[in-house]
Amino acid sequence: MGGRRRSTASVPDLVSRAREGDPRAVARLISLVEDGSPLLREVMAALTPYTGHAQIVGITGSPGVGKSTSTNALVTELRKNGKRVGVLAVDPSSPFSGGALLGDRVRMQDHALDREVYIRSMASRGHLGGLSWTTPQALRVLDAAGCDVILIETVGVGQSEVEIAGLADTTMVLLAPGMGDGIQAAKAGILEIGDLYVVNKADRDGADQVRRDLRSMLALADRPPGAWRPPIVKTVAQRGEGLDEVVEQMDEHHAWLQSSGELEKRRTRRARDEIEAIAVTALRERWGDVHGRSELDDLAGAVAAGKSDPYAAADELLAAFTDA
């Protein structure tokens, strides 16, 4: 969004401007995240005091169920309620540049001029879970920028997409009639991760059957007393129908999360996963190119010759790096 024109701005200045709703500053901060900038540690430290307020909603489902259309309609409904909205649309990566293909940005032009809506396409960079590894840090930027609700729309890669449940406060699963979604729901394990189910394209034949099948499968789930029972909402996102009920159910789930203590548990688990990912990345960088180490070749030769086993070789390799 033009943020690169002021790339020399200091981190405190960028954070201050982002807090005021400057889209260029928000764009620049997310670019620093995606690029793995050396300033990233300073950025995260500066943002931390302003985070923890946004309601984070993950939107997932098989390709073709209307995730982008539903996200666009949901933004419209949230804006009617006076909410500042952030959207992270995780697009498939370009095979040439590695960047996002920007499909969702094209489909959400209705909100392009609204300063209370920030839409960012992020490349999945081949990540099978449908989310980029930088998504947690990008969420922190939008949270600190004052977004009341942040919507994460994933690539739509099927069974691996359950990863979104680890990042969202509320996970919304979209289905549609005529796509075999009943079977897909059982296969993908989404019956375990969904907090809210939306049958989109409900004006088509078979929508009621999808809802009945989904209700039957959800009834089989073993839920303890007091547990959240995911509602099923029918929508026609293209016409904006049913989105008011979706927002209502989102708010009800958020209220339950707060009252039950589950919100704190989910956010602690999310922080733990983020810390672990950063630590593992740092360890990989510290090790450098393990394939270029002569110790690895020697150990591999010993294992191949039957003089050592792979576990003993791995221990020896670890010891060599620890002593280095």
Side-chain angles (χ1 to χ4, degrees):
M1 292 185 65
R4 298 191 184 275
R5 283 197 309 178
R6 296 187 60 181
S7 59
T8 57
S10 67
V11 168
D13 179 46
L14 284 172
V15 170
S16 176
R17 285 164 43 206
R19 291 282 298 155
E20 295 169 359
D22 181 352
R24 293 182 184 275
V26 176
R28 179 60 184 150
L29 286 170
I30 294 182
S31 293
L32 292 175
V33 167
E34 288 197 289
D35 296 342
S37 168
L39 295 174
L40 197 49
R41 289 176 180 270
E42 184 183 353
V43 169
M44 290 299 114
L47 293 175
T48 294
Y50 309 111
T51 58
H53 307 292
Q55 179 183 0
I56 301 174
V57 179
I59 300 175
T60 186
S62 304
V65 296
K67 290 193 300 295
S68 295
T69 303
S70 295
T71 301
N72 187 56
L74 192 52
V75 171
T76 299
E77 193 65 32
L78 289 166
R79 288 295 298 127
K80 288 180 186 176
N81 298 341
K83 304 284 190 181
R84 178 182 284 187
V85 184
V87 179
L88 287 182
V90 185
D91 281 332
S93 301
S94 163
F96 304 105
S97 68
L101 295 179
L102 305 181
D104 294 295
R105 287 282 288 275
V106 172
R107 288 187 286 270
M108 294 186 197
Q109 286 304 303
D110 296 351
H111 309 288
L113 300 179
D114 189 343
R115 286 183 63 88
E116 297 299 305
V117 176
Y118 185 86
I119 301 167
R120 176 73 174 226
S121 288
M122 297 183 70
S124 62
R125 301 183 189 274
H127 194 73
L128 289 179
L131 301 172
S132 166
W133 70 272
T134 57
T135 306
Q137 286 79 39
L139 284 172
R140 188 169 279 112
V141 172
L142 292 177
D143 189 0
C147 290
D148 299 302
V149 180
I150 304 172
L151 306 176
I152 317 170
E153 182 202 328
T154 61
V155 174
V157 291
Q159 297 183 36
S160 298
E161 219 172 0
V162 296
E163 181 183 304
I164 195 169
L167 276 181
D169 300 329
T170 300
T171 300
M172 182 189 307
V173 178
L174 265 66
L175 303 98
M179 300 185 67
D181 274 322
I183 298 172
Q184 287 300 318
K187 279 175 56 182
I190 58 174
L191 295 181
E192 299 172 10
I193 67 160
D195 299 305
L196 168 60
Y197 291 89
V198 174
V199 179
N200 189 34
K201 305 180 182 181
D203 52 341
R204 295 185 178 181
D205 291 340
D208 289 331
Q209 186 62 49
V210 171
R211 187 176 189 177
R212 281 193 295 270
D213 291 346
L214 189 54
R215 184 179 289 123
S216 297
M217 286 188 284
L218 288 172
L220 298 175
D222 184 19
R223 302 182 191 278
W228 173 258
R229 301 200 173 269
I232 305 169
V233 179
K234 291 200 301 182
T235 65
V236 183
Q238 199 164 28
R239 299 203 297 258
E241 296 175 8
L243 275 301
D244 54 343
E245 188 178 351
V246 171
V247 172
E248 182 181 328
Q249 293 295 342
M250 280 168 43
D251 290 342
E252 284 193 22
H253 181 247
H254 194 68
W256 176 84
L257 288 172
Q258 290 177 312
S259 64
S260 66
E262 182 64 24
L263 183 62
E264 184 180 355
K265 290 179 185 176
R266 292 191 182 194
R267 292 187 172 182
T268 299
R269 186 165 58 241
R270 187 158 72 220
R272 184 192 63 200
D273 292 343
E274 187 178 359
I275 293 166
E276 181 181 342
I278 292 170
V280 169
T281 300
L283 283 172
R284 286 191 184 126
E285 291 174 353
R286 190 174 300 175
W287 272 39
D289 183 9
V290 69
H291 291 285
R293 303 276 300 207
S294 60
E295 297 98 322
L296 181 58
D297 292 332
D298 296 339
L299 291 166
V303 171
K307 297 176 181 178
S308 179
D309 68 85
Y311 286 94
D315 289 341
E316 196 171 332
L317 183 63
L318 284 168
F321 274 105
T322 303
D323 296 339

